[in-house]
Amino acid sequence: MASRIILPPDDADENHNHQEAEEEEEREELGRDDDDDEHGPPPGLPPKAALPFSATWVRISRDSYPNLRALRNASSASLADAAYVKISEGDFGYVLDDVPHFTDYLPDIPTYPNPLQDHPAYSTVKQYFVNEDDTVPQKVVVQKNSRRGVHFRRAGPRQRIYFGTDEVKACIVSCGGLCPGLNTVIRELVCGLSHMYNVSSIFGIQNGYKGFYSSNYLPMTPKSVNDIHKRGGTVLGTSRGGHDTKKIVDNIQDRGINQVYIIGGDGTQKGAYEIFKEIRKRGLKVSVAGVPKTIDNDIAIIDKSFGFDTAVEEAQRAIDSAHVEACSAENGIGLVKLMGRYSGFIAMCATLASRDVDCCLIPESPFYLDGEGGLLQYIEKRLKENKHMVIVVAEGAGQDLIAKSIATSDQQDASGNKLLLDIGLWLTHKIKDYFKSKRMEMTIKYIDPTYMIRAIPSNASDNVYCTLLAHSAIHGAMAGYSFTVGMVNGRHTYIPFYRVTSTRNKVKVTDRMWARLLSSTNQPSFLSQKDVDEASEADRLANRPPLPTGASSRVVRSFDQSSSCSSNGEI
């Protein structure tokens, strides 16, 4: 199986490249593979030293060269990014979207036996280590003639590692907003490094990215983090912004850090990607492991983010309170605003869990207030039928409506996110004005539990998930990879940085899950057929990875097949 794409050199050598590609295509047509172990080196040439699976270099077929040439100019994958994209092709439409490895730029570094093979806790494990060729498919629902599609490298301990136990010097940083489970991830990174790999030099970076160059590093031990998982927030502190790639890597290099664990959302993972690229540019033996964190659950590819289950559980409690308030007043309305800047997963899942909600509004599903079939008319109808009503709205919903009625400015926070206006407060006033014009008595209670949800400790389900994410990150870093770790179709995987930062996961209003919500609440969809068609096309484009139009037809078909399903999985 092909293991690494070789980018074509400058145009001066293009004819030579095409000649090699034609020879490779002829071999493919004859049914021969490229395994050097089977066919051996050409006569007269010395045998090449074997490289690990992740670092094997191969030629690619002629129709793939336009892909690589275009990749240099693609808007979503710059020239600097092209060197880090590792796409391998196999039989039956198999595509491996691989992650960078030390041997891509440090081919002669030594390896060491994994100490887990002598660990007493693992003595009863049937299979200690993950096979180097194990991969996880992005799409698992297929038909009998489906292509095998896009795969990611399976997470887990490797038989050979690229760090001696005594040479590891690791650091951990948390960035962005708070989320349940942050302390659990930090704890398990420290304890996992210490207990599984006997690492003693572990440091915490305080207050986000800027802590690399503005704070002293905080030594961490299993004893110092023993109880932190019982508390909300992060013991390391966090912040938005403050990312200065060169300053960060300068400090990593000066302090002798060789494993960097970065916990944060899509913006933080973009920063991790930039740090990795600078590290590779300098030829440093440093692994960068990203643990994706977003309470909104909008990280692409992965099944879900840690802390999401806890957030939904706590959001349901807020909905229950709103329901009690609404039922206790004549024509009572309970309005709950939940997190969801661009993606309404918390609002949707909390609504389905509660079953007391009459209307759920999310950013992915446009709505309108006035006129036939509008939100205000629907609220009036529900009050006349049930004498009370509960509305759940995600913070990013209806921002276009607010912009039409209130002058707004395009201000951004330190992470580059647009500052949103309070949709809950705006809706409250609009509903009051409507019923006042109707001379109809009503009572509305507005509940915003945002910071209560973000700051609580994680529940049992998330605690287990955080532990597995942390351990998978450790195994990958010890094995010499740089990646974002995440669960894909129930299996932990190593995902390229560019895949989780190139797009954002969103609720698909054309999927059955949203239909289940509409059935549960009995609310109108507020969508025209044009809206549905536009949403379908937007979903298709958003879930497609940043491959250029000149890609190999086999690669394009495989990526298209995998992007045709929701990254969070349709049930």
Side-chain angles (χ1 to χ4, degrees), residues 156 162 226 274 276 287 345 360:
Y162 285 78
N226 185 51
E274 294 304 315
F276 160 73
S287 290
F345 286 105
C360 178

Side-chain angles (χ1 to χ4, degrees), residues 509-527:
V509 295
T510 55
D511 272 0
R512 288 196 301 276
M513 189 60 78
W514 185 245
R516 293 186 182 105
L517 181 140
L518 296 179
S519 176
S520 171
T521 61
N522 290 316
Q523 71 186 71
S525 69
F526 302 112
L527 295 175

Side-chain angles (χ1 to χ4, degrees), residues 106-138:
L106 299 171
D108 298 322
I109 58 176
T111 63
Y112 306 88
N114 195 319
L116 284 179
Q117 65 187 8
D118 301 317
H119 198 293
Y122 286 78
S123 61
T124 59
V125 176
K126 183 177 180 181
Q127 182 181 352
Y128 276 70
F129 305 115
V130 171
N131 189 297
E132 281 298 312
D133 288 341
D134 282 357
T135 59
V136 178
Q138 182 179 354

